[in-house]
């Protein structure tokens, strides 16, 4: 339904995607472990392909929600959002998007580090944020290394 809506109203993608970011990624995340998950996942990938460059708005929106959750001291919600960010980068961003958006990945990890410094008394959150930051950098490193291997004669 969302794919059809965006196909018919492309001009509304940038206005609606920030509000739909978290629910969209949550549905995809939950579907990954369900019986009918592969079909939902394929549909979600088609939606994300359709929104194109606007896909990065999802990551920015999740980062804003992470900041809000930490500021309001809703650490359980913050951990859930961290997991969604991790899933989004690991499973939903393509290699070329990771290469093109290095600065956004760096901003995301800086945001997480700012949040866990502010929340030193929440050890589970800090551990999760550090692990996800490390995975983000490793993923970027793999993509970057692969790019350089392809460029060599």
């Amino acid at each position: 339904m969302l794919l059809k809506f965006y196909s018919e109203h492309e001009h509304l993608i940038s206005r609606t995607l920030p509000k739909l970011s978290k629910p969209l990624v949550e549905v995809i995340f939950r579907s990954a472990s369900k019986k009918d998950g592969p079909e939902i996942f394929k549909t979600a990938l088609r939606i994300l392909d359709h929104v194109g460059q606007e896909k990065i708005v999802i990551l920015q929106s999740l980062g804003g929600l992470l900041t809000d959750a930490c500021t309001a001291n809703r650490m359980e919600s913050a951990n859930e959002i961290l997991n969604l960010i991790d899933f989004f980068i690991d499973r939903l961003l393509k290699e070329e998007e990771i290469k093109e958006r290095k600065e956004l990945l760096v901003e995301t990890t800086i945001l997480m580090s700012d949040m866990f410094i502010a929340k030193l008394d929440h050890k589970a959150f800090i551990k999760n944020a550090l692990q996800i930051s490390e995975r983000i950098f490793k993923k970027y490193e793999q993509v970057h290394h692969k790019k350089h291997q392809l460029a060599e004669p």
Side-chain angles (χ1 to χ4, degrees), residues 76-88:
E76 188 174 318
S77 178
N79 267 315
E80 290 172 11
I81 295 166
L82 273 177
N83 291 330
L84 292 176
I85 290 170
D86 183 35
F87 176 78
F88 183 80

Side-chain angles (χ1 to χ4, degrees), residues 44-59:
L45 289 178
R46 285 196 303 271
I47 292 169
L48 293 175
D49 282 343
H50 186 77
V51 300
Q53 292 294 325
E54 295 291 333
K55 187 189 304 186
I56 297 305
V57 169
I58 295 171
L59 190 55

